[in-house]
Amino acid sequence: MENKKLYSVIEVGKMLGIGRVKVYELIKENYLPALNLGGLKIRKETIDDFLSKYEGYDLTDLKNVVKMVS
């Protein structure tokens, strides 16, 4: 994707390989902060921080996020 500062929920889903519903869940559960600018937008830096923070974790159930065992 091009070097943009803000991404839509659909774009973030494509970047992360997940559906838009899961992106909305991540936002709702405060794992992925977003801005509402007439539609939810997520900063590129926020996506990078999210990936760094939760690498190695199982986020399948957002009510029970656990570190994966290797």
Side-chain angles (χ1 to χ4, degrees):
M1 258 188 209
E2 66 225 39
N3 285 333
K4 296 176 13 175
K5 290 192 182 269
L6 295 173
Y7 293 90
S8 70
V9 167
I10 291 172
E11 290 171 321
V12 172
K14 287 180 183 177
M15 290 169 70
L16 299 178
I18 60 177
R20 66 178 175 77
V21 171
K22 188 67 170 187
V23 177
Y24 281 117
E25 289 174 3
L26 289 167
I27 293 166
K28 181 178 180 241
E29 297 296 328
N30 298 312
Y31 287 98
L32 192 61
L35 301 136
N36 190 343
L37 301 170
L40 293 177
K41 303 290 182 190
I42 299 101
R43 291 183 327 124
K44 173 72 169 99
E45 294 83 1
T46 300
I47 298 164
D48 293 339
D49 291 346
F50 168 80
L51 292 172
S52 293
K53 183 174 181 179
Y54 292 106
E55 184 173 8
Y57 284 82
D58 181 350
L59 291 126
T60 306
D61 177 1
L62 296 178
K63 301 288 187 192
N64 186 33
V65 174
V66 294
K67 190 158 181 75
M68 296 186 300
V69 289
S70 47

